């Protein structure tokens, strides 16, 4: 069914636009989207709402979606899903409300679970966030695009792609019956995810493994003991009783030196579990299948034992990703644009993967919207600007949050300060900005402009200092000294805007205290492996031994 302008206006809250008669258009389609999951279907949905007369085709490789990593949303993605895509009812009805982010630390893997130091909010978050079933979410988005008249072909594989410029792109795809079809497109949107079809074809794909050598194993479990259940509460005896929200519905992280595990409850009752590590610092358990290796490691953490002692892995539902961090040197050209994971990825620690997708999807949409409506003064300039700002944003974001962070992930004192600073700046900046102006701020990429640059410099500076302090703590034998018997519950909720500055100042005080405490301590040297002259301190060697810890 072809959408009317009135339908599109009702869907997005903005007046739909007419396609300019002065632009060049191909014979078959105005836009072909390669990939129909979150980024691809969101791109098609936004374009069709804004320009109902666009001829849009989605080519999806799979006959039906599977469940993907990216199940926990943070606040910017929550705003994009609810206020931009207008999926609030679907998310509230068919997915799990997220109760914040929670981190659990340990000393030697043998301590009582309730003694594990905890960092997290005492109350429910103030901006809607969700634990999403990606299979359901992606299918809902595809359904919404179909309602507006977007064409969908699945399963189909793209066999050839010739990027000839605006209005001159040619594609050949093969359908399930073996037939090949040749089409033309004015613009091509690459939403192929980690396949990075255009970036690899144009040789602009770049790994970021030298600076961030991280990998992840991911699986799902059933029969998990939730922390808020009667059994879980008994096993967690000693944990703070000041908790108001539910621990079990948070995204729970088990923390260690060089690694962390995510634990995400899903609508089916199953739990998504992943182990992410820096290969310079940690090697996961060897031998056995992937689910068994993940479980073996989780059971070496006291809180992990509470939850997964009797858990069973969901069969055939495993993933392994090596070299998590990558990017494309360009995310737009004449006649094509890259969105979501097809443009790059950094790290899943703060569940900001869908934030990244939201910004790349919307900035691509805004550029194409203005082109097709004739409001773009110079498309070449728009493309150059988008490519330049993407690389600036990517590296500012990466260096602010993730560069060498795995050195101090296992220390509760440093992560407490980082929690206040990282999340406080997130609410003062990105969350606050997209709430104040969705169209303007989702069009811009994070950390854009002079103010964004100042925030990025501040964040990357304290991140570097935390790495050095972690090495000082290792040298002094103090790494993980507060990993037991501390309840670092945050009683003042993170809120968008200036109120989060108080939490940033609190984080700064914690940081400066650590600087003063270890002012005269020389950092431990960096080495590939521990030796007799450069051993790991006792607080490190006493951490879980399911994996092999290395002092990098």
């Amino acid at each position: 069914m072809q959408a009317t302008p009135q339908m599109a206006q009702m869907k997005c809250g903005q007046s739909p636009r007419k396609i300019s008669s002065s632009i060049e258009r191909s014979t078959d389609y105005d836009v072909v989207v390669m990939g129909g999951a979150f980024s691809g279907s969101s791109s098609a949905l936004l374009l069709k709402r804004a320009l109902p007369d666009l001829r849009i085709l989605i080519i999806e490789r799979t006959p039906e979606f599977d469940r993907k990593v990216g199940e926990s949303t943070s606040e910017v993605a929550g705003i994009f899903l609810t206020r931009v895509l207008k999926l609030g009812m679907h998310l509230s009805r068919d997915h799990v409300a997220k109760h914040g982010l929670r981190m659990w630390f340990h000393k030697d893997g043998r301590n009582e679970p309730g003694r594990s130091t905890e960092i997290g909010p005492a109350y429910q978050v103030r901006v809607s966030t969700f634990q999403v079933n990606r299979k359901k979410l992606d299918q809902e988005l595809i359904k919404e695009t179909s309602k507006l008249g977007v064409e969908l072909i699945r399963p189909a594989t793209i066999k050839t792609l010739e990027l000839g410029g605006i209005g001159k792109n040619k594609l050949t795809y093969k359908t399930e019956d073996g037939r090949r079809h040749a089409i033309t497109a004015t613009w091509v949107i690459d939403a192929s995810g980690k396949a990075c079809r255009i970036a690899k074809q144009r040789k602009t794909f770049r790994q970021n493994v030298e600076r961030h050598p991280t990998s992840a194993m991911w699986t799902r479990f059933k029969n998990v003991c939730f922390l808020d259940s009667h059994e879980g509460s008994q096993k967690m005896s000693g944990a703070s009783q000041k908790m108001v929200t539910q621990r079990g519905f948070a995204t729970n992280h088990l923390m260690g030196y060089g690694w962390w595990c995510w634990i995400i409850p899903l609508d089916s009752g199953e739990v998504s579990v992943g182990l992410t590590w820096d290969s310079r610092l940690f090697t996961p358990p060897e031998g056995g299948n992937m689910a068994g290796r993940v479980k073996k490691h989780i059971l070496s953490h006291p809180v992990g034992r509470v939850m997964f002692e009797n858990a069973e892995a969901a069969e055939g539902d495993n993933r392994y990703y090596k070299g998590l961090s990558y990017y494309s040197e360009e995310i737009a050209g004449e006649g094509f644009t890259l969105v979501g994971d097809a443009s790059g990825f950094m790290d899943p620690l703060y569940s900001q993967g869908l934030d990244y997708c939201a910004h790349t999807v919307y900035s691509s949409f805004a550029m194409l919207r203005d082109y097709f409506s004739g409001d773009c003064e110079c498309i070449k300039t728009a493309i150059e600007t988008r490519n330049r700002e993407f690389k600036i944003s990517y590296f500012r974001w990466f260096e602010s949050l993730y560069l060498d962070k795995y050195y101090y992930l296992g220390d509760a004192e440093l992560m407490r300060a980082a929690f206040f600073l990282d999340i406080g700046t997130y609410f003062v900046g990105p969350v606050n900005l997209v709430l104040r102006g969705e169209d303007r701020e989702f069009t811009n990429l994070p950390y854009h402009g002079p103010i964004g640059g100042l925030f990025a410099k501040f964040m990357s500076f304290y991140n570097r200092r935390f790495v050095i302090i972690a090495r000082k703590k290792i040298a002094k034998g103090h790494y993980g000294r507060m990993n037991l018997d501390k309840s670092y519950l945050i009683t003042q909720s993170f809120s968008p805007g200036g109120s989060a500055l108080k939490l940033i100042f609190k984080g700064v005080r914690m940081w400066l205290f650590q600087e003063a405490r270890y002012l005269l301590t020389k950092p431990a040297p960096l080495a590939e492996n521990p030796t007799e002259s450069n051993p790991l301190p006792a607080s490190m060697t006493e951490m879980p031994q399911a994996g092999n810890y290395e002092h990098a």
Side-chain angles (χ1 to χ4, degrees), residues 20 22 81 134 162 168 172 174 178 214 229 231 260 327 344 384 388 414-415 421 428 521 531:
S20 172
S22 63
L81 287 162
R134 283 293 303 275
E162 297 179 29
K168 301 173 183 178
T172 302
K174 183 179 178 180
T214 52
S229 67
E231 178 186 0
W260 61 280
Y327 64 96
E384 290 171 359
R388 181 179 64 254
L414 292 176
M415 280 307 299
L421 289 166
V428 168
T521 303
T531 63

Side-chain angles (χ1 to χ4, degrees), residues 164-407:
I166 299 173
K168 301 173 183 178
N169 297 305
K170 298 178 181 179
L171 301 90
T172 302
Y173 65 88
K174 183 179 178 180
T175 49
E176 193 174 21
D177 59 9
R179 297 175 60 189
R180 290 179 178 246
H181 307 261
I183 56 173
T184 60
T186 308
W187 285 84
V188 175
I189 297 177
D190 185 357
S192 62
K194 296 183 185 300
C196 300
R197 175 67 185 261
I198 288 180
K200 290 180 178 178
Q201 178 172 314
R202 291 179 58 82
K203 303 187 186 308
T204 61
F205 178 84
R206 302 287 183 269
Q207 288 279 6
N208 194 29
V209 293
E210 288 189 7
R211 303 183 74 194
H212 198 56
T214 52
S215 300
M217 293 190 291
W218 163 66
T219 187
R220 284 189 176 79
F221 287 92
K222 54 188 177 181
N223 197 32
V224 174
C225 176
F226 282 90
L227 296 177
D228 304 297
S229 67
H230 178 67
E231 178 186 0
S233 298
Q234 288 185 318
K235 291 182 176 180
M236 290 296 293
S237 176
S240 175
Q241 298 299 307
K242 296 180 180 180
M243 180 66 59
V244 177
T245 188
Q246 295 191 74
R247 290 183 169 100
F249 285 99
T251 295
N252 282 279
H253 286 179
L254 309 182
M255 311 297 288
Y257 176 73
W259 64 269
W260 61 280
C261 288
W262 75 72
I263 302 171
I264 300 173
L266 301 174
D267 61 308
S268 62
E270 293 178 336
V271 174
S272 170
V273 180
L275 167 62
T276 306
W277 70 94
D278 185 323
S279 60
R280 298 170 297 182
L281 309 177
F282 174 76
T283 302
E286 301 290 344
N289 60 34
M290 194 179 303
R293 295 169 69 192
V294 171
K295 184 176 179 180
K296 183 179 180 181
H297 181 70
I298 288 177
L299 293 179
S300 66
H301 191 293
V303 177
R305 285 199 301 274
V306 169
M307 300 183 72
F308 292 92
E309 185 175 15
N310 299 312
E312 301 171 8
E315 294 184 7
D317 197 5
N318 306 294
R319 300 286 190 279
Y320 176 78
Y321 295 123
K322 185 177 181 179
L324 289 176
S325 183
Y326 63 90
Y327 64 96
S328 175
E329 289 280 354
E330 61 178 13
I331 63 166
E334 292 196 35
F336 69 88
T337 179
L338 283 59
V339 296
D341 288 350
S343 60
F345 186 78
M346 293 176 216
D347 194 283
L349 178 66
Y350 282 122
S351 302
Q352 292 177 347
L354 287 185
D355 286 22
Y356 192 80
C357 291
H359 278 283
T360 55
V361 164
Y362 202 92
S363 63
S364 168
F365 152 71
M367 184 176 71
L368 297 189
R369 175 194 61 191
D370 292 347
Y371 169 78
F372 279 110
S373 63
D375 294 328
C376 182
E377 294 182 1
C378 179
I379 191 61
K380 288 185 178 181
T381 301
I383 290 169
E384 290 171 359
T385 300
R386 189 162 186 259
N387 285 330
R388 181 179 64 254
E389 291 185 350
F390 170 77
K391 286 193 68 176
I392 293 171
S393 173
Y394 181 93
F395 284 105
R396 283 179 176 176
W397 195 340
F398 166 70
E399 292 169 0
S400 296
L401 286 178
Y402 302 120
L403 179 61
D404 291 332
K405 200 182 198 80
Y406 284 59
Y407 282 94

Side-chain angles (χ1 to χ4, degrees), residues 471-485:
R471 291 169 53 203
K472 290 183 175 184
K473 296 184 80 168
I474 289 173
K476 205 171 178 66
H478 286 185
Y479 194 98
R481 63 189 291 269
M482 293 297 182
N483 284 12
L484 292 183
D485 302 321

